[in-house]
């Protein structure tokens, strides 16, 4: 599903965030991307979602080299990827239902269908009944789950999450990870960047450890 | 994507943009008022000129040439000359005013009665008042007629009293061009005002646009609500301008009627009219849309999630 082949990423500042990263993630895998702060975890996710482009090397997502995707085609490409952010990136002045519906509205899904799928997604993250609330009226964990509902509502085959449990207490973090595990069980490919090693230890999943812009370790392989 | 969903989405954003506008009513009203005034200025000038042309349309009939015959011309010869002039194609009517009659009229209207009594003889000649046909009531037509009349035997002088009317018409025609120029410039101004407002709006919603792009929105999709906002700005400004002009017309209408009455004219001020009003509303809406389109296209492209 995802293939990095000798990928380099140098930011305009001159900082080399990735220096020859290679790995492969198969369809339906649940993969944790770990490593110290500044190791390049977020950079990898940005390259997958085409928020950034590699300086060198080849990134392949869903059998497509991202180098062949023109700027005009990026929106359509991104509709195939669900993204969860550490800071949620929710629209705070819109109700929860509108936030979750956004990918469907963008994809031009008919109204009646949208309502149905939004409720299904909120049900999956245990937030049914909060449709009319504003995100600011929810707890941090609930907001994170709204972000997850938005990421999965359009049923993308690939889900990427950057520090999805970053500012949650340990119990809540485990709960969110279990949620991801459930999506992975139904065949969604999932990549989660996190520096929380203890949390990762509790799950039986593939792990790619980054260090200084390189793959330092990979388990299991 | 099917047509129903497309229409649905447009309807959603159109209504949604009213909601946005309602979020910041003061800012919206300010922008709308600026646009309203910008549109109202050329519109007022337009209404003024429209009325001026209408008023002067009546004056065209009043084009007349005074033909003064030489002092020695007899009344009989005067009538012969009148008949000769009347037979011309470009002449509608000839009125004969014999010298004694002219003197009586002058005495009555001028107030110089006593001074005239002091004169030994009537200083006024026999006079013909020539009215050209409507077709000849133009600057060129009356000038040609004047030349022709001068060449008639026994004619001393030909005077065209109404040259100033033609000058006025020429000025009004010039001002009409000025109106179009002003309308063009202020139309550009409207697009710029809306564009700038939309630019600020986009800056305020930068985070929101970033999120939309992250979940797969195209630039066109992110732009759409701003286009509708631009439309509403233009529409609101145009409607306000029409209101301003209507108020202005109502305000000066009574004094204008009184003035016209004093001059023995039944003229009364007309407003902008339904058709022109619709054109104003449509074009200001389109200008708002256009200004928003230019600003949104440019600034949304520059926003990229990071
Ligand atoms: N937009 C950017 N411009 C310049 N340098 C950047 C940019 N983004 C990241 N970097 C640098 O690249 C390196 C890797 O950053 P990245 O965000 O990928 O690390 P990370 O593993 O996600 O770290 P963290 O755990 O702190 O989130 C860092 O040194 C960072 O300073
Ligand atoms: Mg990071």
């Amino acid at each position: 599903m995802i293939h990095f082949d000798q990928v380099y990423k140098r930011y305009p500042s001159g900082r080399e965030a990735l220096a020859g990263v290679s790995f492969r993630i198969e369809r339906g895998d649940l993969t944790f991307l770990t490593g110290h702060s500044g190791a390049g975890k977020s950079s990898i996710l940005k390259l997958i979602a085409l928020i950034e482009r590699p300086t060198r090397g080849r990134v392949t997502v869903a059998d497509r080299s991202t180098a062949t995707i023109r700027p005009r085609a990026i929106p359509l490409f991104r509709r195939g990827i669900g993204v969860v952010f550490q800071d949620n990136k929710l629209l705070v002045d819109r109700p929860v239902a509108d936030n979750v519906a956004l990918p469907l509205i963008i994809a031009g899904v008919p109204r009646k269908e949208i309502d149905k799928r939004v409720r299904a997604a909120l049900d999956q993250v245990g937030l049914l009944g909060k449709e009319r609330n504003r995100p600011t009226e929810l707890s941090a964990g609930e907001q994170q789950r709204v972000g997850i509902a938005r990421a999965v509502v359009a049923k993308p085959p690939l889900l990427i999450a950057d520090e999805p449990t970053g500012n949650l207490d340990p119990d809540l973090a485990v709960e969110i990870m279990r949620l991801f595990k459930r999506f992975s069980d139904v065949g969604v490919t999932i990549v989660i960047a996190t520096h929380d090693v203890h949390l990762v230890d509790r799950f039986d999943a593939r792990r790619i450890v980054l260090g200084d812009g390189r793959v330092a370790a990979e388990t299991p392989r | 994507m099917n047509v129903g969903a497309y229409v649905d989405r447009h309807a959603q954003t159109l209504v949604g943009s009213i909601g946005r506008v309602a979020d910041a009513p003061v800012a919206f009203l300010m922008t709308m008022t600026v646009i309203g005034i910008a549109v109202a200025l050329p519109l007022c000038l337009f209404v003024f000129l429209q009325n001026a042309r209408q008023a002067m349309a009546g004056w065209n009939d009043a084009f007349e040439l005074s033909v003064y015959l030489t002092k020695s011309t007899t009344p009989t010869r005067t009538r012969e000359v009148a008949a000769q002039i009347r037979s011309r194609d470009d002449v509608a009517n000839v009125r004969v005013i014999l010298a004694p009659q002219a003197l009586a009229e002058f005495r009555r209207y001028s107030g110089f009665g006593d001074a005239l009594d002091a004169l030994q003889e009537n200083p006024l000649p026999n006079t013909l008042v020539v009215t050209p046909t409507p077709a000849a009531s133009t600057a060129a037509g009356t000038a040609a007629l004047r030349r022709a009349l001068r060449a008639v035997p026994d004619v001393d002088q030909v005077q065209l009293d109404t040259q100033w009317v033609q000058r006025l018409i020429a000025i009004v025609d010039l001002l009409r061009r000025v109106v179009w120029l002003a309308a063009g410039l202020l139309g550009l101004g409207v697009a710029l005002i809306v564009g700038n407002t939309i630019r600020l709006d986009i800056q305020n919603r930068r985070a929101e646009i970033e999120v939309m792009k992250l979940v797969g929105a195209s630039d066109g999709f992110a732009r759409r609500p701003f286009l509708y906002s631009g439309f509403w700005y233009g529409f609101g400004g145009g409607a306000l301008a029409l209101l301003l002009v209507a108020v202005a017309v109502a305000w000066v209408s009574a004094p204008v009627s009184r003035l016209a009455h004093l001059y023995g004219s039944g003229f009364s001020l007309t407003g902008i009219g339904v058709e022109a009003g619709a054109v104003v509303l449509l074009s200001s809406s389109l200008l708002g849309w256009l200004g928003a389109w230019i600003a949104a296209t440019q600034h949304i492209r520059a926003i990229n999630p990071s």
Side-chain angles (χ1 to χ4, degrees), chain A residues 11-18 35-44 46 52 86 162-163 193 195 210, chain B residues 306:
Chain A
Y11 285 104
S13 63
R15 177 90 171 81
E16 187 146 77
L18 301 177
H36 62 81
S37 179
K41 305 182 291 294
S42 298
S43 297
I44 285 180
K46 284 178 188 168
E52 295 286 351
Q86 179 175 355
D162 197 354
E163 310 277 8
H195 58 257
L210 292 172
Chain B
S306 58

Side-chain angles (χ1 to χ4, degrees), chain B residues 48-264:
Chain B
F48 169 76
L49 290 179
Q50 210 62 358
N51 279 288
R53 279 167 63 86
Q54 224 162 340
M56 287 184 307
W59 298 350
N60 260 335
D61 302 342
F63 271 54
E64 281 176 350
L65 295 98
S66 298
V67 178
Y68 303 107
L69 303 185
T70 51
K71 287 291 295 177
S72 56
T73 315
T74 62
T76 320
R77 173 64 194 147
T78 301
R79 291 203 176 81
E80 276 172 28
V81 174
Q84 186 194 342
I85 294 173
R86 199 175 283 124
S87 67
R88 288 178 58 90
D89 282 345
D90 51 358
V91 169
N93 187 38
V94 178
R95 194 151 52 90
V96 178
I97 303 173
L98 295 177
Q101 196 186 338
L103 187 67
E105 276 185 25
F106 189 73
R107 197 189 287 278
R108 186 140 30 98
Y109 289 114
S110 69
F112 286 113
D114 294 342
L116 290 174
D117 285 342
L119 294 172
Q120 295 294 312
E121 54 176 318
N122 184 354
L124 298 176
N126 292 327
T127 308
L128 305 176
V129 177
V130 176
T131 311
T133 55
S137 294
T138 61
T142 47
L145 182 56
R146 186 180 178 198
R147 266 197 309 279
L149 293 181
R150 262 203 203 126
V152 173
D154 293 323
V155 167
D156 182 23
Q157 249 186 58
V158 180
Q159 200 170 314
L160 183 59
D161 298 324
T162 45
Q163 262 166 343
W164 64 274
V165 173
Q166 293 181 323
R167 293 202 182 117
L168 204 61
I169 286 174
I171 290 172
V172 166
D173 278 340
L174 179 72
L175 281 178
R176 266 164 70 83
R177 284 178 187 233
V178 172
V179 166
W180 284 114
L181 194 70
L185 284 175
L186 287 162
L188 190 69
V190 168
L192 286 175
I193 294 165
V194 173
N196 193 49
T197 308
I198 293 296
R199 181 181 63 81
L200 293 174
D201 200 11
I202 288 173
Q203 268 166 19
N204 289 335
R205 291 171 186 275
R206 198 190 167 85
E208 181 179 333
I209 294 166
E210 259 184 46
V211 171
M212 293 214 287
K213 283 195 169 189
L214 274 173
V215 299
S218 61
D219 284 11
F221 182 86
R223 181 175 60 205
R224 196 169 306 140
F226 296 102
L227 297 186
Y228 286 116
S229 294
F231 174 86
W232 287 121
Y233 280 128
F235 185 86
L240 185 68
L242 290 177
L243 189 71
L244 287 175
V245 171
V247 168
V249 167
W251 190 52
V252 298
S253 164
V256 164
S257 293
R258 223 175 305 132
L259 192 67
H261 187 72
L262 285 180
Y263 279 81

Side-chain angles (χ1 to χ4, degrees), chain A residues 101-175:
Chain A
L102 192 57
L104 300 179
I105 295 171
I106 287 169
V109 174
R111 241 299 171 43
K112 289 174 296 240
E113 177 117 14
I114 288 182
D115 291 342
K116 222 166 49 195
R117 284 169 72 174
V118 166
R119 286 174 61 78
L122 284 173
D123 190 21
Q124 280 176 302
V125 299
L127 282 180
L128 215 48
K130 302 271 191 194
E131 289 97 327
R132 300 321 314 164
N133 287 79
R134 310 262 149 177
T136 43
E137 296 161 0
L138 303 180
S139 73
E142 287 170 331
Q143 289 181 25
Q144 195 61 274
R145 283 184 282 162
V146 173
I148 294 171
R150 183 182 65 191
V152 300
V153 72
K155 300 200 172 81
L158 173 61
L159 199 59
I160 63 180
D162 197 354
E163 310 277 8
T165 61
N167 41 24
L168 302 182
D169 68 56
D171 289 349
L172 220 46
V174 172
E175 194 192 316

